Every structure is written in C-alpha cells, then in structure tokens.
Short mmCIF file of all heavy atoms in Angstrom, two decimals:
data_model
loop_
_atom_site.label_atom_id
_atom_site.label_comp_id
_atom_site.label_asym_id
_atom_site.label_seq_id
_atom_site.Cartn_x
_atom_site.Cartn_y
_atom_site.Cartn_z
N LEU A 1 -3.79 -4.14 -3.91
CA LEU A 1 -4.17 -3.72 -2.57
C LEU A 1 -5.60 -4.20 -2.38
O LEU A 1 -6.54 -3.66 -2.96
CB LEU A 1 -4.09 -2.20 -2.41
CG LEU A 1 -4.59 -1.60 -1.09
CD1 LEU A 1 -3.97 -2.29 0.12
CD2 LEU A 1 -4.32 -0.12 -1.05
N TYR A 2 -5.74 -5.28 -1.63
CA TYR A 2 -7.02 -5.98 -1.49
C TYR A 2 -7.49 -5.95 -0.05
O TYR A 2 -6.68 -5.94 0.88
CB TYR A 2 -6.87 -7.44 -1.93
CG TYR A 2 -6.48 -7.61 -3.37
CD1 TYR A 2 -5.15 -7.80 -3.73
CD2 TYR A 2 -7.43 -7.59 -4.39
CE1 TYR A 2 -4.78 -7.95 -5.06
CE2 TYR A 2 -7.07 -7.73 -5.71
CZ TYR A 2 -5.75 -7.92 -6.04
OH TYR A 2 -5.39 -8.06 -7.36
N PHE A 3 -8.80 -6.00 0.11
CA PHE A 3 -9.40 -6.14 1.44
C PHE A 3 -9.31 -7.60 1.84
O PHE A 3 -9.60 -8.49 1.04
CB PHE A 3 -10.86 -5.69 1.43
CG PHE A 3 -11.01 -4.23 1.10
CD1 PHE A 3 -11.49 -3.83 -0.14
CD2 PHE A 3 -10.67 -3.25 2.02
CE1 PHE A 3 -11.63 -2.50 -0.46
CE2 PHE A 3 -10.81 -1.91 1.71
CZ PHE A 3 -11.28 -1.53 0.47
N GLY A 4 -8.89 -7.84 3.07
CA GLY A 4 -8.77 -9.21 3.56
C GLY A 4 -7.41 -9.80 3.25
O GLY A 4 -6.51 -9.15 2.72
N GLU A 5 -7.29 -11.06 3.58
CA GLU A 5 -6.05 -11.80 3.35
C GLU A 5 -6.19 -12.57 2.06
O GLU A 5 -7.01 -13.49 1.97
CB GLU A 5 -5.79 -12.75 4.53
CG GLU A 5 -4.39 -13.24 4.63
CD GLU A 5 -4.12 -13.95 5.95
OE1 GLU A 5 -4.26 -13.30 7.01
OE2 GLU A 5 -3.79 -15.14 5.90
N VAL A 6 -5.44 -12.18 1.05
CA VAL A 6 -5.52 -12.76 -0.28
C VAL A 6 -4.25 -13.54 -0.56
O VAL A 6 -3.14 -13.03 -0.36
CB VAL A 6 -5.72 -11.65 -1.35
CG1 VAL A 6 -5.72 -12.22 -2.74
CG2 VAL A 6 -7.00 -10.88 -1.08
N GLU A 7 -4.42 -14.76 -1.02
CA GLU A 7 -3.24 -15.57 -1.38
C GLU A 7 -2.55 -14.96 -2.59
O GLU A 7 -3.20 -14.46 -3.51
CB GLU A 7 -3.68 -17.00 -1.72
CG GLU A 7 -4.37 -17.71 -0.58
CD GLU A 7 -3.50 -18.75 0.06
OE1 GLU A 7 -2.50 -19.17 -0.52
OE2 GLU A 7 -3.85 -19.13 1.19
N SER A 8 -1.23 -15.01 -2.62
CA SER A 8 -0.49 -14.45 -3.73
C SER A 8 0.76 -15.27 -4.00
O SER A 8 1.29 -15.91 -3.10
CB SER A 8 -0.10 -13.00 -3.43
OG SER A 8 0.66 -12.47 -4.48
N GLU A 9 1.21 -15.19 -5.23
CA GLU A 9 2.50 -15.78 -5.57
C GLU A 9 3.58 -14.86 -5.02
O GLU A 9 3.35 -13.70 -4.76
CB GLU A 9 2.67 -15.86 -7.09
CG GLU A 9 1.67 -16.72 -7.79
CD GLU A 9 1.82 -16.63 -9.30
OE1 GLU A 9 2.58 -15.79 -9.81
OE2 GLU A 9 1.13 -17.39 -9.97
N GLY A 10 4.77 -15.39 -4.87
CA GLY A 10 5.89 -14.56 -4.45
C GLY A 10 6.26 -14.78 -3.01
O GLY A 10 5.79 -15.69 -2.35
N ASP A 11 7.12 -13.89 -2.54
CA ASP A 11 7.64 -13.97 -1.18
C ASP A 11 6.81 -13.12 -0.23
O ASP A 11 6.42 -11.99 -0.58
CB ASP A 11 9.09 -13.49 -1.13
CG ASP A 11 10.01 -14.36 -1.98
OD1 ASP A 11 9.77 -15.57 -2.06
OD2 ASP A 11 10.97 -13.81 -2.55
N TYR A 12 6.59 -13.64 0.98
CA TYR A 12 5.90 -12.86 2.00
C TYR A 12 6.94 -11.98 2.68
O TYR A 12 7.67 -12.41 3.57
CB TYR A 12 5.22 -13.76 3.02
CG TYR A 12 4.49 -12.97 4.09
CD1 TYR A 12 3.27 -12.38 3.80
CD2 TYR A 12 5.03 -12.80 5.35
CE1 TYR A 12 2.59 -11.62 4.75
CE2 TYR A 12 4.36 -12.06 6.31
CZ TYR A 12 3.16 -11.47 6.00
OH TYR A 12 2.50 -10.72 6.94
N GLU A 13 7.02 -10.72 2.20
CA GLU A 13 7.91 -9.75 2.82
C GLU A 13 7.58 -8.36 2.30
O GLU A 13 6.96 -8.21 1.25
CB GLU A 13 9.38 -10.07 2.54
CG GLU A 13 9.79 -9.96 1.08
CD GLU A 13 11.26 -10.26 0.87
OE1 GLU A 13 12.07 -9.33 0.96
OE2 GLU A 13 11.57 -11.44 0.60
N GLU A 14 7.96 -7.37 3.08
CA GLU A 14 7.73 -5.98 2.68
C GLU A 14 8.78 -5.57 1.66
O GLU A 14 9.96 -5.57 1.96
CB GLU A 14 7.83 -5.05 3.88
CG GLU A 14 6.71 -5.12 4.85
CD GLU A 14 6.94 -4.15 6.00
OE1 GLU A 14 7.87 -4.39 6.78
OE2 GLU A 14 6.19 -3.18 6.09
N SER A 15 8.35 -5.20 0.48
CA SER A 15 9.26 -4.61 -0.48
C SER A 15 9.34 -3.11 -0.19
O SER A 15 8.57 -2.59 0.64
CB SER A 15 8.75 -4.83 -1.91
OG SER A 15 7.54 -4.11 -2.09
N HIS A 16 10.21 -2.41 -0.88
CA HIS A 16 10.32 -0.96 -0.68
C HIS A 16 8.99 -0.28 -0.96
O HIS A 16 8.53 0.57 -0.19
CB HIS A 16 11.43 -0.38 -1.55
CG HIS A 16 11.50 1.11 -1.47
ND1 HIS A 16 11.97 1.77 -0.37
CD2 HIS A 16 11.11 2.08 -2.35
CE1 HIS A 16 11.88 3.08 -0.55
NE2 HIS A 16 11.36 3.29 -1.76
N VAL A 17 8.33 -0.65 -2.07
CA VAL A 17 7.07 0.00 -2.43
C VAL A 17 5.95 -0.38 -1.46
O VAL A 17 5.09 0.46 -1.15
CB VAL A 17 6.68 -0.27 -3.92
CG1 VAL A 17 6.22 -1.68 -4.14
CG2 VAL A 17 5.61 0.70 -4.39
N ILE A 18 5.97 -1.58 -0.95
CA ILE A 18 4.96 -1.95 0.06
C ILE A 18 5.16 -1.14 1.33
O ILE A 18 4.21 -0.63 1.92
CB ILE A 18 4.98 -3.47 0.35
CG1 ILE A 18 4.39 -4.24 -0.84
CG2 ILE A 18 4.22 -3.80 1.64
CD1 ILE A 18 4.46 -5.75 -0.73
N LYS A 19 6.42 -0.98 1.76
CA LYS A 19 6.70 -0.17 2.96
C LYS A 19 6.20 1.25 2.77
O LYS A 19 5.58 1.82 3.66
CB LYS A 19 8.20 -0.15 3.27
CG LYS A 19 8.74 -1.43 3.86
CD LYS A 19 10.23 -1.35 4.09
CE LYS A 19 10.76 -2.70 4.52
NZ LYS A 19 12.21 -2.71 4.68
N GLU A 20 6.47 1.83 1.59
CA GLU A 20 6.02 3.19 1.31
C GLU A 20 4.50 3.27 1.27
O GLU A 20 3.89 4.22 1.78
CB GLU A 20 6.63 3.71 0.01
CG GLU A 20 6.29 5.15 -0.29
CD GLU A 20 6.72 6.14 0.78
OE1 GLU A 20 7.75 5.95 1.46
OE2 GLU A 20 5.99 7.15 0.95
N ALA A 21 3.86 2.28 0.67
CA ALA A 21 2.39 2.24 0.62
C ALA A 21 1.81 2.16 2.03
O ALA A 21 0.82 2.85 2.33
CB ALA A 21 1.91 1.07 -0.22
N LEU A 22 2.43 1.39 2.91
CA LEU A 22 1.94 1.27 4.29
C LEU A 22 2.04 2.60 5.03
O LEU A 22 1.14 2.99 5.77
CB LEU A 22 2.68 0.17 5.03
CG LEU A 22 2.38 -1.26 4.58
CD1 LEU A 22 3.34 -2.24 5.25
CD2 LEU A 22 0.94 -1.62 4.86
N ILE A 23 3.13 3.32 4.81
CA ILE A 23 3.30 4.64 5.43
C ILE A 23 2.21 5.59 4.93
O ILE A 23 1.56 6.27 5.70
CB ILE A 23 4.71 5.21 5.11
CG1 ILE A 23 5.78 4.42 5.87
CG2 ILE A 23 4.78 6.70 5.47
CD1 ILE A 23 7.20 4.68 5.40
N GLN A 24 2.00 5.60 3.60
CA GLN A 24 1.02 6.51 3.03
C GLN A 24 -0.41 6.13 3.43
O GLN A 24 -1.25 6.99 3.67
CB GLN A 24 1.17 6.58 1.51
CG GLN A 24 2.45 7.29 1.12
CD GLN A 24 2.57 7.54 -0.37
OE1 GLN A 24 1.58 7.65 -1.08
NE2 GLN A 24 3.82 7.64 -0.85
N LEU A 25 -0.69 4.83 3.53
CA LEU A 25 -2.01 4.40 3.98
C LEU A 25 -2.26 4.81 5.43
O LEU A 25 -3.35 5.26 5.79
CB LEU A 25 -2.17 2.88 3.82
CG LEU A 25 -2.40 2.39 2.40
CD1 LEU A 25 -2.17 0.89 2.31
CD2 LEU A 25 -3.81 2.75 1.93
N GLU A 26 -1.25 4.66 6.27
CA GLU A 26 -1.39 5.07 7.67
C GLU A 26 -1.68 6.58 7.75
O GLU A 26 -2.56 7.02 8.50
CB GLU A 26 -0.12 4.75 8.46
CG GLU A 26 -0.22 5.12 9.92
CD GLU A 26 1.01 4.74 10.73
OE1 GLU A 26 1.88 4.01 10.23
OE2 GLU A 26 1.09 5.21 11.89
N GLU A 27 -0.99 7.37 6.94
CA GLU A 27 -1.23 8.81 6.90
C GLU A 27 -2.65 9.11 6.39
O GLU A 27 -3.33 10.00 6.91
CB GLU A 27 -0.20 9.51 6.01
CG GLU A 27 1.21 9.46 6.56
CD GLU A 27 2.27 9.88 5.57
OE1 GLU A 27 1.97 10.02 4.35
OE2 GLU A 27 3.43 10.06 5.99
N TYR A 28 -3.09 8.37 5.40
CA TYR A 28 -4.44 8.53 4.86
C TYR A 28 -5.49 8.26 5.94
O TYR A 28 -6.40 9.05 6.14
CB TYR A 28 -4.62 7.58 3.67
CG TYR A 28 -6.04 7.46 3.16
CD1 TYR A 28 -6.58 8.40 2.29
CD2 TYR A 28 -6.83 6.39 3.54
CE1 TYR A 28 -7.88 8.28 1.82
CE2 TYR A 28 -8.14 6.26 3.07
CZ TYR A 28 -8.65 7.21 2.21
OH TYR A 28 -9.95 7.10 1.75
N PHE A 29 -5.35 7.16 6.65
CA PHE A 29 -6.31 6.81 7.69
C PHE A 29 -6.28 7.79 8.86
O PHE A 29 -7.28 7.97 9.55
CB PHE A 29 -6.11 5.38 8.18
CG PHE A 29 -6.59 4.33 7.22
CD1 PHE A 29 -5.73 3.39 6.70
CD2 PHE A 29 -7.91 4.30 6.80
CE1 PHE A 29 -6.17 2.42 5.80
CE2 PHE A 29 -8.37 3.34 5.92
CZ PHE A 29 -7.50 2.40 5.41
N LYS A 30 -5.14 8.46 9.08
CA LYS A 30 -5.03 9.47 10.14
C LYS A 30 -5.48 10.85 9.64
O LYS A 30 -5.34 11.83 10.35
CB LYS A 30 -3.59 9.57 10.64
CG LYS A 30 -3.13 8.40 11.46
CD LYS A 30 -1.69 8.63 11.90
CE LYS A 30 -1.23 7.55 12.84
NZ LYS A 30 0.19 7.76 13.24
N ARG A 31 -5.95 10.91 8.39
CA ARG A 31 -6.41 12.16 7.76
C ARG A 31 -5.26 13.14 7.52
O ARG A 31 -5.45 14.35 7.47
CB ARG A 31 -7.51 12.82 8.56
CG ARG A 31 -8.78 12.03 8.64
CD ARG A 31 -9.83 12.76 9.44
NE ARG A 31 -11.15 12.17 9.28
CZ ARG A 31 -11.68 11.30 10.11
NH1 ARG A 31 -11.01 10.90 11.17
NH2 ARG A 31 -12.88 10.81 9.89
N GLU A 32 -4.05 12.62 7.37
CA GLU A 32 -2.88 13.45 7.11
C GLU A 32 -2.50 13.45 5.63
O GLU A 32 -1.65 14.22 5.20
CB GLU A 32 -1.69 12.95 7.93
CG GLU A 32 -1.90 13.05 9.42
CD GLU A 32 -0.84 12.32 10.22
OE1 GLU A 32 0.02 11.63 9.63
OE2 GLU A 32 -0.90 12.40 11.47
N ARG A 33 -3.09 12.57 4.83
CA ARG A 33 -2.75 12.43 3.42
C ARG A 33 -4.02 12.39 2.59
O ARG A 33 -4.95 11.64 2.90
CB ARG A 33 -1.93 11.17 3.17
CG ARG A 33 -1.65 10.88 1.70
CD ARG A 33 -0.74 9.70 1.52
NE ARG A 33 0.61 10.00 1.96
CZ ARG A 33 1.52 10.62 1.20
NH1 ARG A 33 1.23 10.99 -0.02
NH2 ARG A 33 2.74 10.84 1.67
N LYS A 34 -4.02 13.15 1.49
CA LYS A 34 -5.17 13.17 0.58
C LYS A 34 -4.84 12.62 -0.79
O LYS A 34 -5.74 12.31 -1.56
CB LYS A 34 -5.72 14.59 0.45
CG LYS A 34 -6.29 15.12 1.76
CD LYS A 34 -6.87 16.49 1.61
CE LYS A 34 -7.45 16.96 2.94
NZ LYS A 34 -8.04 18.29 2.84
N GLU A 35 -3.56 12.51 -1.11
CA GLU A 35 -3.13 11.96 -2.40
C GLU A 35 -2.01 10.95 -2.16
O GLU A 35 -1.18 11.15 -1.28
CB GLU A 35 -2.62 13.07 -3.32
CG GLU A 35 -3.70 14.03 -3.76
CD GLU A 35 -3.16 15.11 -4.69
OE1 GLU A 35 -2.04 14.97 -5.22
OE2 GLU A 35 -3.87 16.09 -4.88
N PHE A 36 -2.00 9.92 -2.97
CA PHE A 36 -0.96 8.89 -2.87
C PHE A 36 0.07 9.12 -3.97
O PHE A 36 -0.26 9.60 -5.05
CB PHE A 36 -1.57 7.49 -3.02
CG PHE A 36 -2.47 7.10 -1.88
CD1 PHE A 36 -3.84 7.33 -1.93
CD2 PHE A 36 -1.94 6.53 -0.74
CE1 PHE A 36 -4.67 6.99 -0.89
CE2 PHE A 36 -2.76 6.19 0.33
CZ PHE A 36 -4.11 6.41 0.26
N SER A 37 1.30 8.76 -3.68
CA SER A 37 2.37 8.89 -4.67
C SER A 37 3.14 7.57 -4.77
O SER A 37 4.36 7.53 -4.63
CB SER A 37 3.31 10.05 -4.30
OG SER A 37 3.88 9.83 -3.02
N ILE A 38 2.40 6.53 -5.01
CA ILE A 38 2.97 5.18 -5.12
C ILE A 38 2.97 4.80 -6.59
O ILE A 38 1.96 4.98 -7.28
CB ILE A 38 2.08 4.16 -4.34
CG1 ILE A 38 1.99 4.55 -2.87
CG2 ILE A 38 2.57 2.74 -4.51
CD1 ILE A 38 3.25 4.40 -2.10
N PRO A 39 4.07 4.25 -7.11
CA PRO A 39 4.05 3.77 -8.50
C PRO A 39 3.13 2.54 -8.62
O PRO A 39 3.29 1.57 -7.87
CB PRO A 39 5.50 3.43 -8.80
CG PRO A 39 6.17 3.29 -7.48
CD PRO A 39 5.37 4.07 -6.49
N LEU A 40 2.17 2.62 -9.52
CA LEU A 40 1.18 1.55 -9.72
C LEU A 40 1.34 0.91 -11.08
O LEU A 40 1.73 1.56 -12.04
CB LEU A 40 -0.25 2.14 -9.63
CG LEU A 40 -0.59 3.00 -8.42
CD1 LEU A 40 -1.99 3.56 -8.57
CD2 LEU A 40 -0.45 2.20 -7.15
N LYS A 41 0.97 -0.36 -11.14
CA LYS A 41 0.91 -1.07 -12.41
C LYS A 41 -0.36 -1.91 -12.40
O LYS A 41 -0.55 -2.72 -11.49
CB LYS A 41 2.13 -1.96 -12.62
CG LYS A 41 2.16 -2.62 -13.98
CD LYS A 41 3.49 -3.34 -14.21
CE LYS A 41 3.55 -3.85 -15.63
NZ LYS A 41 4.83 -4.48 -15.90
N PHE A 42 -1.21 -1.66 -13.39
CA PHE A 42 -2.47 -2.38 -13.48
C PHE A 42 -2.34 -3.52 -14.48
O PHE A 42 -1.81 -3.33 -15.58
CB PHE A 42 -3.61 -1.46 -13.96
CG PHE A 42 -4.00 -0.42 -12.96
CD1 PHE A 42 -3.74 0.93 -13.20
CD2 PHE A 42 -4.65 -0.76 -11.79
CE1 PHE A 42 -4.14 1.90 -12.30
CE2 PHE A 42 -5.04 0.21 -10.88
CZ PHE A 42 -4.78 1.54 -11.14
N TYR A 43 -2.88 -4.68 -14.13
CA TYR A 43 -3.01 -5.81 -15.05
C TYR A 43 -4.50 -6.04 -15.28
O TYR A 43 -5.25 -6.26 -14.34
CB TYR A 43 -2.38 -7.08 -14.46
CG TYR A 43 -0.86 -7.06 -14.45
CD1 TYR A 43 -0.16 -6.81 -13.28
CD2 TYR A 43 -0.15 -7.27 -15.63
CE1 TYR A 43 1.23 -6.79 -13.27
CE2 TYR A 43 1.24 -7.25 -15.63
CZ TYR A 43 1.92 -7.00 -14.45
OH TYR A 43 3.30 -6.98 -14.46
#
C-alpha cells in the first residue's frame, strides 16, 4: 500500500483483498474505522 502510482508486476485488477482494503480505507478516511482486518504479508 504505497502513496502515489507505483509500478508493479502482475495484473491491473482488484483482487478480493484489494476490494476489502479499499472498503476499509474508505471507512478509515470517513472516521468510521479505527482498526484494519486485512491479511498482510511483509517482504
């Protein structure tokens, strides 16, 4: 989850987890969400 438009490998499309992250981010910015419940993997 990066600021700006970052080039990436893969397909340009919303996956299930991206769709869920977008919903939760929208709620966060509207002050409706204080915690995220998205599965994360760090490299």
Side-chain angles (χ1 to χ4, degrees):
L1 174 52
Y2 298 96
F3 297 106
E5 197 169 299
V6 176
E7 299 255 343
S8 178
E9 298 174 351
D11 297 326
Y12 180 77
E13 65 179 272
E14 287 180 292
S15 66
H16 175 72
V17 73
I18 288 175
K19 286 179 187 176
E20 184 59 32
L22 290 172
I23 290 167
Q24 291 187 26
L25 284 165
E26 182 177 349
E27 293 168 349
Y28 170 82
F29 286 120
K30 288 181 175 179
R31 295 182 167 96
E32 297 168 355
R33 173 175 291 275
K34 294 182 179 181
E35 293 181 15
F36 293 94
S37 59
I38 301 292
L40 308 176
K41 185 172 187 177
F42 291 112
Y43 287 103

